[in-house]
Amino acid sequence: MKDSIRYLSLCGLLGYGYSPVSLENALKQELDFIGVDAGSTDPGPYYLGSGKGFVKRLQIKRDLSLILKEAKARGIPLIIGSAGGSGAKPHVETVLEIIQEIVAEQGLSLKTAVIYSDLSADFLKQAAAGHLFSCGGSPEFDPACVDKLSNPVAQFGTDPIIEALKLEPDVIVSGRCCDTAVFASYPIWKGFDPGLALHAAKIAECGALCARPVGANDSLVVEMYRDFFTVEPPNPVRTCTPDSVAAHSLYEQPDPNCFYEPEGKIDLSACKFEQIGPRKVKVAGSKLIPAAKKTTKLEGAVKAGYRAITIAGLRDPSAIRHLDEIEKGVRAAVAESADFIKDGEYSLRFLRYGLDAVTGGNEPPPEVLPREVGLVIEAIAPTQEQADALLGLARSKALHQGFPDRKATAGNLAFPFSPSDFAGGAVYEFALYHLTDLLLQFEPQIMVIE
């Protein structure tokens, strides 16, 4: 049994890019595997619901084109997690198509393990009968949504990837999985401490984001030992410090002393971070407290309608001062004229950049009003045609809406684009964002891409 393993986190997200210098330097060392996370719910539910990726195809192809041939030549397995952004079947198949293109262009042959994480309606109906629990404050799941869900998936942990590794593939293309599973599966499979492996994976999942200068668009090398691990960026322009690595251990976590994965609670309360080289940090003391019963997070989105938006600017100080009255007047005028849709079937939103678009009502209004405000008006309706028409009404009403102290009859808004209105397409919202205690198994499928 090896006393240590070394792996490369290619970048913070597949398609975000990484320096060729980082790859060149990392490949000078013996690597046991290369991992890259490819997904996130950060961009919202649209990408899961629509089956589209938020990172563009050319970005993904660039990142894979550099690494596939090198990994194959050296016999280093490449693990891709949450392929295509959301990890549902359409996303996984998009990544497989890109790999097929690269294989044809570079004359490769790749033994590929594919892990789909899609959920059946029958399973979801079973889970909805007392086996779904809130995750992060999500509301109670409505069983009536099961047949409306688009691309529901399970976000699994390390077990399916470990099963795929046993098949000795060149590449693993995984559906939706925990970010940590991409990097913790191999060390856990090889018998390394799971608490250390999961903590190292938590840091590695974002590439060089734990280094300074920060960058999810670069690589990180991790070395696992029996009672500690080290992290070091292969790019000489970046440096890891105890502060930078400790800070990233808190990434997206409400509690500085722990984080949770399907395998259990990773206790960081006794962690120590030590500088052991000019750009390398040693981490020790992480412990896994195994879950009494494993749970799996499930994700699914439903279509909520269609969106249209317009963007405009305001300079009139009186208009800025009376934006509340303008918005109220626009809403009333739209309700009066929009007899092509029932009240309650649509929504209008006004985002006032420069005043409160980001914070909403969570802080008091500024004492001094800005000289100009950017206004985004959004309409959502059951069809794109209705959304477009609602937005047209709202935009025209806002352009000429009266307000106190108004002296002129000209328009209130300046539009930077012509046409001013943009059809945003389908709108999705999460309806399934819950944990289940039901047992899920996802078997890897082997295929040869050549």
Side-chain angles (χ1 to χ4, degrees):
M1 184 180 294
K2 295 177 65 173
D3 291 328
S4 66
I5 60 174
R6 182 185 295 114
Y7 64 83
L8 173 67
S9 170
L10 198 60
C11 55
L13 198 83
L14 184 62
Y16 275 17
Y18 53 91
S19 169
V21 171
S22 296
L23 181 59
E24 180 183 353
N25 289 338
L27 291 175
K28 292 176 182 177
Q29 309 172 74
E30 182 180 340
L31 298 174
D32 291 280
F33 74 95
I34 299 166
V36 62
D37 177 36
S40 176
T41 56
D42 290 355
Y46 170 82
Y47 299 96
L48 175 60
S50 67
K52 298 178 180 179
F54 60 91
V55 178
K56 305 309 178 189
R57 187 185 186 94
L58 287 178
Q59 295 173 266
I60 295 172
K61 187 173 181 180
R62 181 270 180 188
D63 283 3
L64 290 179
S65 294
L66 293 181
I67 192 59
L68 283 174
K69 190 172 185 178
E70 299 291 349
K72 172 67 175 180
R74 292 166 171 79
I76 307 168
L78 171 65
I79 304 171
I80 302 170
S82 298
S86 299
K89 188 174 182 180
H91 307 97
V92 171
E93 293 185 343
T94 295
V95 172
L96 289 173
E97 289 170 4
I98 295 170
I99 292 174
Q100 177 68 68
E101 290 177 12
I102 297 169
V103 163
E105 292 166 3
Q106 298 184 356
L108 302 175
S109 176
L110 298 175
K111 181 181 178 182
T112 305
V114 184
I115 312 171
Y116 292 102
S117 60
D118 304 83
L119 299 169
S120 69
D122 287 343
F123 172 82
L124 288 169
K125 289 173 183 177
Q126 179 187 0
H131 293 280
L132 287 180
F133 316 101
S134 175
C135 180
S138 59
E140 184 177 349
F141 179 72
D142 180 3
C145 287
V146 167
D147 293 325
K148 300 177 183 177
L149 289 170
S150 182
N151 299 317
V153 292
Q155 188 182 21
F156 54 70
T158 54
D159 290 343
I161 297 179
I162 290 174
E163 292 305 307
L165 284 165
K166 293 176 182 178
L167 302 174
E168 299 184 341
D170 299 312
V171 180
I172 297 174
V173 180
S174 172
R176 185 67 170 131
C177 64
C178 294
D179 301 348
T180 53
V182 178
F183 303 98
S185 298
Y186 188 100
I188 290 175
W189 176 43
K190 293 299 183 180
F192 284 78
D193 182 271
L196 286 170
L198 286 161
H199 188 192
K202 179 65 182 172
I203 295 169
E205 70 180 69
C206 292
L209 203 58
C210 68
R212 298 292 183 268
V214 299
N217 58 334
D218 214 344
S219 308
L220 187 74
V221 172
V222 179
E223 294 183 56
M224 291 288 312
Y225 296 86
R226 293 299 166 185
D227 53 1
F228 68 92
F229 64 88
T230 67
V231 293
E232 181 179 24
N235 192 332
V237 305
R238 302 187 191 278
T239 299
C240 282
T241 68
D243 285 352
S244 70
V245 177
H248 194 65
S249 297
L250 312 181
Y251 179 67
E252 298 180 328
Q253 301 304 320
D255 189 330
N257 292 310
C258 66
F259 64 93
Y260 293 86
E261 298 294 336
E263 294 76 15
K265 172 183 175 180
I266 294 80
D267 184 357
L268 308 180
S269 59
C271 260
K272 294 183 179 180
F273 302 84
E274 179 186 355
Q275 195 85 47
I276 61 168
R279 299 184 304 108
K280 181 185 288 190
V281 169
K282 172 184 174 182
V283 183
S286 321
K287 294 181 180 179
L288 172 66
I289 302 173
K293 188 174 185 180
K294 287 187 178 181
T295 57
T296 305
K297 189 177 81 165
L298 311 182
E299 298 170 352
V302 296
K303 187 181 288 185
Y306 292 82
R307 172 183 286 120
I309 67 166
T310 191
I311 303 170
L314 290 88
R315 288 278 301 183
D316 186 325
S318 292
I320 292 173
R321 190 161 51 249
H322 295 291
L323 266 174
D324 286 340
E325 290 97 324
I326 291 174
E327 179 180 332
K328 184 177 179 181
V330 169
R331 289 186 182 279
V334 168
E336 184 179 51
S337 301
D339 53 10
F340 51 82
I341 189 170
K342 295 179 181 178
D343 188 36
E345 289 186 347
Y346 70 89
S347 67
L348 281 177
R349 187 163 63 137
F350 296 78
L351 296 171
R352 311 181 303 188
Y353 286 93
L355 283 177
D356 55 10
V358 176
T359 60
N362 293 325
E363 63 182 16
E367 294 181 7
V368 178
L369 291 175
R371 288 188 300 173
E372 60 184 33
V373 170
L375 181 65
V376 177
I377 305 175
E378 173 199 59
I380 296 177
T383 70
Q384 189 67 62
E385 183 180 28
Q386 290 171 321
D388 293 346
L390 281 165
L391 182 72
L393 282 173
R395 183 244 311 135
S396 62
K397 304 294 186 185
L399 178 62
H400 297 292
Q401 179 65 36
F403 54 86
D405 302 325
R406 181 171 182 169
K407 294 182 174 64
T409 57
N412 302 326
L413 306 177
F415 296 93
F417 307 114
S418 177
S420 59
D421 302 349
F422 299 90
V427 177
Y428 291 86
E429 59 187 22
F430 281 117
L432 177 66
Y433 202 86
H434 296 74
L435 301 175
T436 184
D437 59 1
L438 292 177
L439 180 65
L440 282 157
Q441 290 184 317
F442 299 99
E443 299 293 333
Q445 305 173 22
I446 287 290
M447 61 188 296
V448 177
I449 302 178
E450 54 186 9

